[in-house]
Each structure stands twice: as structure tokens, then as C-alpha cells.
Amino acid sequence: MRVILTIGSTSTAMIDGISAAGASPAMMAETPAADAEIIEYGQPIGTGLTPVSPSGCPTPAVVTRAVRTLEQFETLILDAGTAAGTAAPTVSVGEQPGNDIRDEVAVPDASGVFERARELGTQFPDDELLIAESIPGGTTTAQGVFRALGESYDVSSSLQSNPVDLKRDVVETGLRASDLETGDLAGSPLQAIQAMGDPVLAATTGLVTGALETETSVRLAGGTQMVAVAALVRHAGRTEPIQLATTAFVAADETADLQAAATDLDLALQVTDPEFDQSEHVVFDRYRAGEAKEGAGMGGALALAEESDSPMATVREQIIECYEKVIQHGA
Amino acid sequence: MRVILTIGSTSTAMIDGISAAGASPAMMAETPAADAEIIEYGQPIGTGLTPVSPSGCPTPAVVTRAVRTLEQFETLILDAGTAAGTAAPTVSVGEQPGNDIRDEVAVPDASGVFERARELGTQFPDDELLIAESIPGGTTTAQGVFRALGESYDVSSSLQSNPVDLKRDVVETGLRASDLETGDLAGSPLQAIQAMGDPVLAATTGLVTGALETETSVRLAGGTQMVAVAALVRHAGRTEPIQLATTAFVAADETADLQAAATDLDLALQVTDPEFDQSEHVVFDRYRAGEAKEGAGMGGALALAEESDSPMATVREQIIECYEKVIQHGA
């Protein structure tokens, strides 16, 4: 088993009010790089930045790191195209951040990124891949891809209050800019990513495709962005079983009906509740309020902890310990 | 604790008869890339190549991987400048392979590689770094650096029979090409690397320097190439304690007096014997005959196994298991 975090950037995240994956739009550019460093080293050693939301919610990468220290799973950071360099070791499958989906083309090299990731996906000796993402703005691009494919699912949000109207407007503008109507790219996943997606969607869809081709089990670790990956893979005609491991926070988000999408796309849904209400530590405050919810493999890592019978109390203690190390170092 | 494998290439390895780190000079170009893949994934997933010596001795990376599966230490592959790409995740501190040391300049960007690695070396949150190498031809460049620094130590060899005369000739030609006499670069480690070293020496010397600057403990994991790193660091004026963890095979090599060099350079020497004579499996045959001896962190990994009280019999079983997975995949 290997946990793969795919990192990337999209200019879509720079739209004011669209994402909570960074204290400001400028700092959001560093979030994927810092998430990768936290998972690999336990501290944001290169960026020097602890990703927090504007209200101070720490990145879910801290949760993934905490579980990694307990379970010692092997990791891989896959760079799909990021705006900021990382001090974490990476395999690169793309050089360019994605454009704003309101531009005509969102991911110019979607096929190249997909193909390099697909080839890598065929090569792992592991029985199972757990595939996660870190890309601010990623739920908006996911919604863009759903509409291009003609799927009516809605997406969740890293913000406490999902800016659904803003996302709808952005997606509609994006479709128009690409000269598309809803559903025009049903059955054409690569074109949907190119027009309305982001580099992480291109890379993870490639990885999953390669893994399924070689009979490697796939568990998507994330929320509605990972539902978009599943939709893309299904639109490519693949029918193999796929699991989706996410958090109770995403499952509870009423703006996105995760269960319906999972049923529709034939995903085995695995929801883990880290019981953050059992602790009063500040690291859990904004999560309890409904922020962040998921990302950087959080739901998948929690699922691994649950499967190995690590008590959630131990996981929470480890999260506190990791958080304290992270903020010691980060700005 | 983190194990860092620094990979790189030098054209010095292409000199006929100089190295056993590959079945042929052409295949040697792939050895560092494949070693990194074996340590990260358990198989040479991108190169498709299992590094073996001309007589079939499998790469010591298999030993490091075996211990990693037992001890679950965290790893980092540092790319100092390699001739062949790797599917392992890397942090890059150099883009160019090194030249043949018989050229005027061996490592054109020695200071750049050193400085980037030094900065990284200051950033790790780990208490201790275990620093290893994979670079075919690396004992010859090490000897070149010793002579440039005016140190009289001799180096070991990955070959059963150390080609000492050939190495001496190559080093003498190299000194002349750089317009140097023995000892001309005493106290000038970066110039010594630039004239007579390789990219891995530049990067590991930088890493060690950065780590020592920030009070991180350093354990060099390797044979006489790592003695060269220690000499370079001492010539830079650093006096902190440094450990050197190597195998009983290097310690037993009469062509290199490891103990004398360690005493002279104030290195705490740690020699681990994996007792390969206790098993008749083919994977150990060429090691018992005196080939390979060290490399890709083997001695350091064995030291970690010994410290955690893993019986060497368990380590050997794990080596056999890892070897079988590697050759299943590799050519």
C-alpha cells in the first residue's frame, strides 16, 4: 500500500472567496508545496509556511502526517504542475500550473500530464494505491468538470459556508469561454479536464487509469474533488471497483450529496469520523465549525488508522503533537 | 532519523575496469536511478533494470530496502546530477552529471550543488541524518579528492580485486589535467571537488555541512567514498563529531585502511557484519567473494537493524525476499 499525494495549482484559486486553502490568495500558491513538506518531514521545511485558512484552520496535511507517524505507510508526492517549488521529494508529471477555468483552456497539457501519470500508475508494485490531492480551488474545477461531463453533482468546500453561487457563476463563465454547453464533453474526460479542470485532476485520473489497467486496487482519498476523478475515470469507460475514503465532515456537508454521487458512480464509500468533538484542543476548533473538512489525504489516512485499530484518541493526540511541531517551524 | 541517498553520475565510471556498479558501462548510467527506485518502491519500476556487477552481484540497494521494510525509516533521494532519470521521488540540487576527472574540470557547478545541499541540510527537523550515496566510479573520484587535499588514504572498490594501479593512473592524469600537485587544494574542499570529485561528493559535503551547522547529528553510511566526504568536511574546518557506518566487507578490505583514516579524521567508526556466510542463498554469493561491499546505504541500514535488535538472520531473510521481488521485475 502506498499513499500518493498529487499536488498542483490552478489560477482558479485566486478568485476572491473561492477557497480556504490558504490565509490569502498569495499564500495559497504555497499550500500544496507546504502540504507535501509536512507529510514528508513533519514540518514545512522549505516553504516555511504552515497552511491555514483565513480564519486559522490548520491544513489537513497535519492529520495525514500524524497517521503516517503511527502507521508508517510509504508515500509519494506527485507534482502535476505547481506555482511554488517544494523541498519535498517529488516525481514530476507536469511543469505548468493550470489556468483560471474562465480562460478558454484550463490545462493546456492535460493529455501529457495524464499520459505520464498513467504510465507511472502501471508501474507500482503495491497491491493498493491510496490517491490524495492538494490543490487550492480544486472543488471549483471539480464542479467545472462535472458540468462539462454532464453530471449534476455538487461539490463541497474548504470554507465553512460553501460559496455555491460564486462557484456556479465561475463554472458558467468557464463553460462559455470554452464554448461549451453542459454535458458537451460526456465521454471525453481528457477534453473536460483541458477545458474546465486542473493539473491534479489530469494526473490523478491518469494514475487511477494506469493502476486499474494493471489490476492495482485504487482508493481515492478525498472529498468531492475525488468524486470528480471517479467521474472522469468512469467517463473513460473503466468499470473496475473504486473505493472513496473521506471524512465525516464531507459526508455531513449538505451542499454536496456525496452518497448519491458514490452510488451513481459505483464507488465503495468509506467515511471516517475522527471525533474531533472529543477534544478541546485549538487544532480541532475550525474543523468542528465545518472548515477544511478534507484534503491532502486526510480521509484516507483516517481510514487506514481505523483499519489498523489505532484508537481515534491516539490519532487525535498524534495530531496535536504533529501540529505543535508544524507551528514551531512554520510562519 | 532520516536516511538520505544522494545519487549522481560521473563519466569517470565509463573508464573500462574502474567500477563494478553495473553489468556494463552503459548500464552503469542507470544504476543510481535504479537504486533509488529499489529503495523507494522495492522494484526498479522506471528503469526496469536491476543493477548487478559484471559477475552478477546484486546492488546493495536491496539490503537497504530490506532493512527499510523491517525498520520503516523515512527516506529522501537527493539528486546531485544524474545521467539517467529515475521514477523515484527526488529533491534535485544539481542538473549535470560530473565529467571524467581526467578532464580539467570534474564538477563545473560544485559550489552551486554544495550550496543548495547545504541549505537543505540546515532545514531537516530530524535529530539525525544518515547519509548514503550511489554513484558508479565514486571510489576513484574519492581517491582524486584525497590526493587534491593531500591526504594519503586509499580507497576500497566494488570489484573483488581493487584496480589500484588503474585508479592511481587515472588520478595522476586527472591532477595533471587540472594543473595540480598532490596537496595543492588542502583546506579548499570545494575546489578539490570541482577539479577531482563528483556531484555526489559536492552534495553530500553540502548536506553534512548544513546539518552540522544546525546541530543535527550526522552518520555517514558508506565506505571510503564517505571517508572522502568526512575529509572534505574536516578540510572546511568543521570539528563536530561525525559517525561512519559501514560494512564488515569494507573494513576487511586490505587495500584501504579504514580504521586509520577514521582515527585520523576523528570519525566514530561503526562496522556491521551481516554474516552473509550464514546463508547459502545466491544473493549473498558475490558479497562473500568480496564484491560490491557497500553502497546505497547498506552499512548504515545494517547498523540501524543492529541497533533495533533485529536479528541478522531476519535481515538476511528479508534481503532474500526483497531480492526476489526485485529480480521478478528487473531485467
Side-chain angles (χ1 to χ4, degrees):
Chain A
M1 204 280 305
R2 179 174 306 275
V3 174
I4 303 179
L5 177 74
T6 305
I7 61 173
S9 305
T10 166
S11 299
T12 313
M14 300 296 116
I15 300 170
D16 200 34
I18 212 101
S19 174
S24 69
M27 291 171 89
M28 248 183 257
E30 306 266 0
T31 295
D35 280 351
E37 291 167 4
I38 289 169
I39 290 173
E40 288 295 318
Y41 303 116
Q43 292 189 351
I45 72 164
T47 54
L49 174 89
T50 301
V52 294
S53 73
S55 71
C57 185
T59 172
V62 173
V63 176
T64 304
R65 174 67 191 183
V67 178
R68 188 187 179 195
T69 61
L70 293 173
E71 310 294 339
Q72 273 102 27
F73 49 76
E74 295 190 325
T75 56
L76 170 65
I77 311 293
L78 191 68
D79 185 349
T82 38
T86 180
T90 58
V91 170
S92 170
V93 292
E95 301 293 332
Q96 269 188 299
N99 301 326
D100 189 322
I101 59 169
R102 296 171 303 179
D103 293 342
E104 192 184 338
V105 174
V107 188
D109 189 29
S111 338
V113 173
F114 171 89
E115 188 46 45
R116 289 185 285 276
R118 190 199 64 76
E119 202 195 329
L120 186 66
T122 65
Q123 292 172 327
F124 295 105
D126 310 276
D127 296 332
E128 184 186 21
L129 301 182
L130 214 135
I131 299 174
E133 57 67 36
S134 172
I135 179 166
T139 59
T140 305
T141 49
Q143 178 130 326
V145 161
F146 283 144
R147 295 301 172 269
L149 295 174
E151 300 289 1
S152 57
Y153 315 128
D154 285 317
V155 292
S156 184
S157 171
S158 54
L159 288 151
Q160 185 177 359
S161 171
N162 194 348
V164 285
D165 293 338
L166 174 60
K167 282 183 185 173
R168 189 189 312 118
D169 288 349
V170 168
V171 168
E172 277 171 16
T173 308
L175 288 169
R176 273 196 306 276
S178 304
D179 201 18
L180 289 173
E181 303 279 342
T182 300
D184 272 1
L185 297 178
S188 302
L190 280 180
Q191 285 175 268
I193 295 168
Q194 189 171 43
M196 296 294 290
D198 63 51
V200 165
L201 289 171
T204 46
T205 303
L207 263 186
V208 173
T209 303
L212 295 178
E213 280 173 18
T214 47
E215 292 172 27
T216 302
S217 296
V218 168
R219 179 152 29 161
L220 298 169
T224 44
Q225 287 165 258
M226 284 304 167
V227 176
V229 175
L232 288 159
V233 170
R234 296 303 187 212
H235 275 257
R238 301 220 69 96
T239 56
E240 291 89 345
I242 299 176
Q243 274 188 286
L244 179 73
T246 194
T247 65
F249 304 109
V250 172
D253 183 353
E254 291 174 1
T255 61
D257 188 348
L258 188 72
Q259 183 61 65
T263 304
D264 200 27
L265 292 166
D266 194 18
L267 306 176
L269 189 60
Q270 183 177 21
V271 175
T272 310
D273 183 355
E275 298 159 5
F276 285 171
D277 51 346
Q278 302 290 309
S279 169
E280 307 224 318
H281 194 279
V282 63
V283 67
F284 305 119
D285 278 358
R286 301 306 305 162
Y287 284 92
R288 280 195 304 262
E291 247 183 88
K293 299 186 187 69
E294 223 331 338
M298 176 179 173
L302 291 172
L304 295 176
E306 193 166 71
E307 283 164 16
S308 79
D309 295 325
S310 290
M312 279 303 151
T314 308
V315 172
R316 287 191 300 274
E317 278 162 32
Q318 195 63 35
I319 292 170
I320 293 169
E321 197 173 304
C322 285
Y323 173 68
E324 281 167 358
K325 280 190 194 150
V326 163
I327 55 168
Q328 245 174 42
H329 182 97
Chain B
M1 205 280 306
R2 178 174 306 275
V3 174
I4 303 180
L5 177 74
T6 305
I7 61 172
S9 306
T10 165
S11 298
T12 313
M14 301 294 117
I15 300 169
D16 201 33
I18 213 99
S19 173
S24 69
M27 290 170 90
M28 247 180 259
E30 306 265 359
T31 294
D35 280 351
E37 291 167 5
I38 289 168
I39 290 173
E40 288 294 319
Y41 303 117
Q43 293 189 349
I45 71 164
T47 53
L49 173 89
T50 301
V52 294
S53 74
S55 71
C57 185
T59 172
V62 173
V63 176
T64 304
R65 173 68 191 181
V67 178
R68 187 187 181 195
T69 60
L70 293 173
E71 309 294 339
Q72 273 102 28
F73 49 76
E74 295 191 323
T75 57
L76 170 66
I77 311 295
L78 191 68
D79 185 348
T82 39
T86 181
T90 58
V91 170
S92 170
V93 290
E95 301 293 331
Q96 270 187 299
N99 300 325
D100 189 322
I101 59 169
R102 296 172 304 179
D103 294 342
E104 192 185 337
V105 174
V107 187
D109 189 28
S111 340
V113 173
F114 170 89
E115 189 45 45
R116 287 185 286 275
R118 191 200 62 78
E119 202 195 329
L120 186 66
T122 66
Q123 293 173 324
F124 294 105
D126 310 275
D127 296 332
E128 185 187 20
L129 302 180
L130 214 137
I131 299 174
E133 57 68 36
S134 172
I135 177 164
T139 60
T140 305
T141 50
Q143 178 130 325
V145 161
F146 284 143
R147 294 302 172 270
L149 295 174
E151 301 290 359
S152 58
Y153 316 127
D154 285 318
V155 293
S156 186
S157 171
S158 55
L159 288 150
Q160 186 177 359
S161 172
N162 195 347
V164 285
D165 293 339
L166 174 60
K167 282 184 185 172
R168 189 188 314 117
D169 289 350
V170 168
V171 168
E172 277 170 16
T173 309
L175 287 169
R176 273 198 305 278
S178 306
D179 201 17
L180 290 173
E181 303 279 343
T182 299
D184 272 1
L185 297 178
S188 301
L190 281 181
Q191 286 174 269
I193 296 168
Q194 189 171 44
M196 297 295 289
D198 63 51
V200 165
L201 289 172
T204 46
T205 303
L207 263 186
V208 172
T209 303
L212 294 178
E213 281 172 16
T214 46
E215 291 171 29
T216 302
S217 296
V218 168
R219 181 153 26 163
L220 298 169
T224 45
Q225 288 165 257
M226 284 303 167
V227 176
V229 174
L232 288 159
V233 171
R234 295 302 187 213
H235 276 257
R238 301 220 70 97
T239 56
E240 291 89 346
I242 300 176
Q243 274 189 285
L244 179 73
T246 193
T247 65
F249 304 110
V250 172
D253 184 353
E254 291 173 1
T255 62
D257 189 348
L258 188 72
Q259 183 60 66
T263 304
D264 201 25
L265 293 166
D266 194 18
L267 306 176
L269 189 59
Q270 184 178 22
V271 176
T272 310
D273 184 354
E275 298 159 5
F276 286 171
D277 51 346
Q278 302 290 309
S279 169
E280 309 224 315
H281 194 279
V282 64
V283 67
F284 305 118
D285 278 359
R286 301 306 306 162
Y287 283 91
R288 280 195 304 262
E291 248 183 87
K293 297 185 188 71
E294 223 332 338
M298 176 179 173
L302 290 172
L304 295 176
E306 194 165 70
E307 282 164 16
S308 79
D309 295 324
S310 290
M312 279 301 153
T314 309
V315 173
R316 289 192 299 275
E317 279 162 32
Q318 195 64 33
I319 293 170
I320 294 170
E321 198 173 302
C322 284
Y323 173 69
E324 281 167 358
K325 279 190 195 150
V326 163
I327 54 168
Q328 246 176 41
H329 181 97

